[in-house]
Each structure stands twice: as structure tokens, then as C-alpha cells.
Amino acid sequence: MPKALSGVLTALSTPFNQDESIDVATLRRIVDRSIEAGVDGVVAAGSTGEVGALSSEERLLLIKTVIEHTNGRVPVIANTGATSTAEAIRLSKAAQELGADVLMLITPYYEPLSLEETVTYIKDVAGAVELPIMLYNIPSVTGVNLDPATVRSLAEEVENIRYIKDSSANWEQALQLIHHHSDVIGTFIGWDAYIYSALVEGAAGVMAGTANVVPDEIVAVSRRIADSDLTGAREVWNAVYPVIDALLSVPFIPSVKAGLSLQGIPAGLPRRPTADLTPEDLGRVRSALSALSHLTQKTG
């Protein structure tokens, strides 16, 4: 069995060229930046990567590019969930053949399902592949919440369901998953404002879109907590949180792309109809990054 996932996973942004095609060269730069910062894994075709705006063929190109460029340096998690069971199985089998390490399943989000329908979908897709599965719980998008009892039941019944990314923004639910169900499933918190708290509480890790922009700092928080240096971890978190807060307080996908571009990695615009940041929102991100840069220079 492969080594269990843990630590910081970057939910990769998907850079686009002016014609909205995938900018493969910049995608490789983004992957390298995270790996060089010390992240423990990268995620292709997640929500931060604008999965809902990608065709199935583009998703597979994205996954293939990330797997090939990562070249075994860190695990690659591929989001292969879809709006139909058949398509999710097709994508999952293809990603498995391409060499993904873990498959992440967002549940269908076009027509909200019942919990029973969602569970059936998960079991059908997981049963069609051999790779470890990470459930992706984001009820604000799917309309269905995978509650801790249901998650435990799935992990106990289906052998390759090993992880969950919980983006419910429900801290009580997150704590239940971490403290009551870690014996059967590893919990990754997908709400970036909870990074410090989740790691202190003992989550398996975090999956963060903001790690595209501030990977070094998020990794430093994770490493210091793992070393029981809570004072040091808190110091880094206090410095980086204003950036994370700024990225989360404006439309997230364009804020991550703006953060990358402000740091010299032009990630292009979001795919339409998602709009770019307003000048005011861009100014907030720029100010937060500038303040962090000055603080780092002062203490570095």
C-alpha cells in the first residue's frame, strides 16, 4: 500500500492563454513552485483549477501534464468527479492509467442528488478503479453534505476510500472527522482559513488553493506544527493569514490568478463567464502581498 497522504496539498490553479487554451508551460512553473516550497502533493483539476469550466479532454490534458511534470517528486491527486457516473468512471480509469496517485471525487453538482444517490455514485466510481479515493465534500456547490457518519460508513465498506477533503466550512463537522473518524479515513481540510487550526487539531493535512500564492509560508506552518513548534507556527500564520484572508474575501479563482501574476507567474484570466478582479479587489490582494513581502524582508 502506498504511503498515506499527509501535509500540504496545493489545489493547482489552471493558467490560460489569451485564447483560453491551457497554458501548459505556466502550469509547469506553478507545479515547480509548489514542489520547491516543499508541499506534500499537488491536485489537478480541482475547484481552484476551474474544473467546472473545463471539458473532459482538457481535464485529462491537465492531469497528464501535472503527472508527467511532477515525475514522482510528490503525489498527484486528480479530481475525476463528474456530473454522471459513467463520465466519472471514464475519467477515473483514464487518470489511473496516466499514473495518478489518488483520485478525488467531487459529487455531481448540476442536479443536486439525495444522499442515497450520492452514496451510490461514490460506490460505483470507487469500485471501478484500484487507486485510493479521496471524497470531496463541498455542499455549497453540490447541495449534498457528506456527514461524518456517512463518511465513516463509506470508508468502512469500500476498501479504497481512504481520504476526504472537507470544504463544508463547518468547523464542528471538521472536528468530528478529525477526532472521531481518523481511524478509518484521513481528513484534509479544504477551507483555507482553517489551515492552522486544522493542523493543530490533528488533521491529516490541508488542501489549499492559496498554496499557489504563498506555498512557502503554508508549508512552514505545517512543518512547525509537526515539530511541535506551535509558537513558531503561530508566528508564521499571523504573518500569512492577512494574505489568505484577502484572497478569500474577493472572488477566489481570479484572486489566486492575480496573486500568481503579481508574483511574476502570469496565470491569465479566469475562463469566461468568470470575470477578473475589480481594481479595488486587486488592490486588496496587492496590498496584502506587499505587506507580507516587507515583513519577510524585515525578519528574513
Side-chain angles (χ1 to χ4, degrees):
M1 186 173 82
K3 180 181 177 182
L5 285 178
S6 63
V8 176
L9 311 178
T10 300
L12 295 167
S13 177
T14 300
F16 294 124
N17 296 303
Q18 285 190 336
D19 63 359
E20 294 196 350
S21 61
I22 294 173
D23 183 347
V24 171
T26 300
L27 175 61
R28 293 183 181 124
R29 288 183 65 191
I30 294 170
V31 169
D32 284 339
R33 183 167 193 243
S34 273
I35 293 175
E36 289 163 6
V39 303
D40 302 286
V42 292
V43 185
S47 298
T48 307
E50 300 179 66
V51 62
L54 301 172
S55 69
S56 294
E57 285 63 38
E58 286 176 318
R59 290 173 70 178
L60 290 177
L61 169 62
L62 200 65
I63 291 166
K64 181 175 187 288
T65 300
V66 172
I67 290 170
E68 290 181 348
H69 190 66
T70 300
N71 194 28
R73 289 178 288 169
V74 296
V76 175
I77 299 88
N79 177 23
T80 54
T83 53
S84 75
T85 300
E87 182 65 1
I89 290 174
R90 185 180 82 82
L91 289 169
S92 297
K93 287 183 174 179
Q96 180 172 266
E97 282 192 25
L98 288 169
D101 296 284
V102 175
L103 304 177
M104 183 170 71
L105 292 184
I106 190 170
T107 55
Y109 46 86
Y110 179 73
E111 178 67 25
L113 304 179
S114 68
L115 183 58
E116 181 180 2
E117 289 171 323
T118 301
V119 167
T120 298
Y121 159 88
I122 290 169
K123 288 180 178 178
D124 287 345
V125 179
V129 292
E130 291 75 47
L131 287 180
I133 298 292
M134 177 182 286
L135 307 177
Y136 184 4
N137 187 39
I138 183 166
S140 62
V141 173
T142 64
V144 180
N145 182 47
L146 295 173
D147 62 275
T150 298
V151 170
R152 183 177 190 92
S153 177
L154 280 164
E156 289 178 332
E157 185 175 345
V158 183
E159 183 179 0
N160 59 331
I161 292 179
R162 307 268 181 82
Y163 311 102
I164 181 169
K165 177 192 178 183
D166 187 69
S167 294
S168 67
N170 182 329
W171 185 236
E172 181 178 2
Q173 177 164 295
L175 288 174
Q176 289 174 0
L177 286 167
I178 293 166
H179 288 285
H180 300 321
H181 304 293
S182 62
D183 58 322
V184 296
I185 195 160
T187 295
F188 285 79
I189 298 302
W191 206 259
D192 294 43
Y194 293 170
I195 288 172
Y196 175 84
S197 300
L199 293 172
V200 169
E201 289 290 345
V206 293
M207 188 182 297
T210 56
N212 289 278
V213 181
V214 283
D216 296 274
E217 291 82 1
I218 293 176
V219 168
V221 170
S222 175
R223 296 289 186 269
R224 293 186 185 195
I225 290 172
D227 291 339
S228 300
D229 179 12
L230 295 187
T231 300
R234 187 71 198 187
E235 180 182 353
V236 178
W237 180 247
N238 285 343
V240 74
Y241 176 74
V243 176
I244 292 174
D245 184 48
L247 293 167
L248 292 172
S249 66
V250 299
F252 188 63
I253 287 171
S255 77
V256 169
K257 290 193 161 185
L260 283 165
S261 295
L262 287 167
Q263 295 174 316
I265 304 177
L269 298 176
R271 183 167 276 183
R272 294 174 294 178
T274 301
D276 198 9
L277 294 184
T278 65
E280 293 77 13
D281 288 343
L282 178 60
R284 180 167 186 176
V285 173
R286 180 185 286 112
S287 295
L289 281 170
S290 178
L292 178 64
S293 177
H294 291 157
L295 182 63
T296 301
Q297 289 172 9
K298 183 179 178 180
T299 59

